[in-house]
Amino acid sequence: MHSKGAMRIKSIIRLLFIGAMLCISGFVMSQPPTGPLIISPKVHADKKVTFSYRAPGAKEVILDGQFPPGKVPMVKDGYGVWSVTVGPIKPDIYPYSFRVDGVTVMDPANVDFFPNERFKGSLLDVPGEPPLIHAQRDVPHGAVSYANYPSIEGSTGSVVIYTPPGYDKNTSERFPVFYLISGTTDTEETFYKVGRTNFILDNLIAEGKAKPMIVVMPYGNPAARIAEQKGRSKPTDLMSRDGEDAVNRAKMFETDLITKLIPYVERNYRTLNNRENRAIGGFSRGGGQTLRTAFGNMDQFSWICCYSAYLSTPEMEKTFKHVYDDPVSTNKDLKLFWIGVGNEDFLYHDAVKFIDFLKEKKVKHTSLITPGGHTWMNVKTYVTETAQLLFK
């Protein structure tokens, strides 16, 4: 009897415990969330956009976007959600962030972000009608892959590579290569995630406006990568685009590209391995790296695309005199030398001086001056324009 009674008591205790747990679970499940579901950004039919950010304890939240009107104070509701509606905004992709009591933060409700060494902004995509050239359309799509390669000083390099539609089906076909270098503090992902280069190429190829090509998007700061992999602090940002440090770092990138990355790509992808089928281009710092690498290796590239960048007259005279000393030879070697810059770009005047220098020296080139500043909105325009000219 004693044994049966003890077992009965244990069973009752076990049942009470299970019941209590179920009650607690039900209570927890029935509790309301800590705040309302945040949907941000919300693009309306009239192209106005509402941004929201939950910060009950914040004293001030400001929307900071690369679209009019720029910086805008947000208003807090009773749930602690700060919101503002702006626009209408012209269809495009724009970086933005929030300033919360003076601290810049991403939009936690938005999965699209701006890859960068120094900041992590969010991306606003305002769709166009018909869809813009960088939109994901119902066309054959190429593939985007991430790769690592043996780089300089015993480091491992990182690169994003686009292969055109059909690359995996026709295994006998070889393709030209466009080496595309992103800007200061950007990463190897920026031309892909912000510039949407893959969709631009997909759409242009589908329309018959661009030749199928491989696009190689490297990380433009090997000094930072080497420091990180060796446990050292990353180098500081450049103080001057024309200074000795800038030239030395550009030379490091050039060495990596010419001696490490290009051989890796040509070993692992079906490429056409001659200067007539190699193009190089870049934005901002990447544009400077493009010019220095191309001018220093005229036997490697026939196509040069410079986005929002330049080289100074003293550097041209000191290092790249061969480019303009014999303009007839240069003009014969280069199938395309293209320069684009915005008329509100902080590098506009320097870029125009560079264009004027080339005109004076009779170096053939094509230039495009667009509205706007030093932005990835302009970069998408430049990629679209130049991709239609390459390898033709």
Side-chain angles (χ1 to χ4, degrees), residues 187-204:
T187 75
E188 67 274 22
E189 291 188 300
T190 313
F191 261 110
Y192 163 42
K193 290 191 172 180
V194 184
R196 306 291 168 95
T197 298
N198 56 318
F199 291 148
I200 291 174
L201 265 295
D202 288 343
N203 295 330
L204 291 176

Side-chain angles (χ1 to χ4, degrees), residues 234-251:
K234 285 187 177 183
T236 58
D237 293 341
L238 293 170
M239 300 300 294
S240 167
R241 292 175 181 267
D242 307 320
E244 183 179 357
D245 190 24
V247 172
N248 289 340
R249 292 199 208 181
K251 189 66 179 178

Side-chain angles (χ1 to χ4, degrees), residues 99-170:
R99 296 275 295 174
V100 183
D101 290 341
V103 178
T104 300
V105 300
M106 296 169 60
D107 185 343
N110 187 353
V111 298
D112 292 326
F113 68 94
F114 191 121
N116 191 278
E117 292 175 345
R118 304 300 188 200
F119 65 88
K120 296 291 184 292
S122 297
L123 296 173
L124 165 67
D125 188 349
V126 181
E129 187 57 47
L132 301 180
I133 194 64
H134 60 254
Q136 185 175 7
R137 300 179 184 174
D138 184 16
V139 299
H141 291 287
V144 175
S145 60
Y146 289 70
N148 297 104
Y149 64 95
S151 185
I152 55 175
E153 297 188 23
S155 65
T156 299
S158 51
V159 61
V160 175
I161 298 180
Y162 165 86
T163 50
Y167 177 86
D168 293 329
K169 293 181 180 178
N170 185 357

Side-chain angles (χ1 to χ4, degrees), residues 17-82:
F17 177 79
I18 292 172
M21 291 300 100
L22 288 173
C23 289
I24 292 172
S25 175
F27 176 78
V28 171
M29 292 292 289
S30 67
Q31 291 304 294
T34 56
L37 174 67
I38 305 298
I39 299 175
S40 178
K42 185 185 294 182
V43 181
H44 305 285
D46 61 359
K47 305 304 180 186
K48 291 183 179 180
V49 184
T50 299
F51 298 86
S52 300
Y53 182 81
R54 187 170 188 271
K59 297 178 180 178
E60 179 186 59
V61 179
I62 296 173
L63 167 67
D64 187 359
Q66 289 187 19
F67 44 80
K71 294 182 175 63
V72 186
M74 301 172 72
V75 178
K76 184 168 68 172
D77 66 12
Y79 293 98
V81 176
W82 299 75

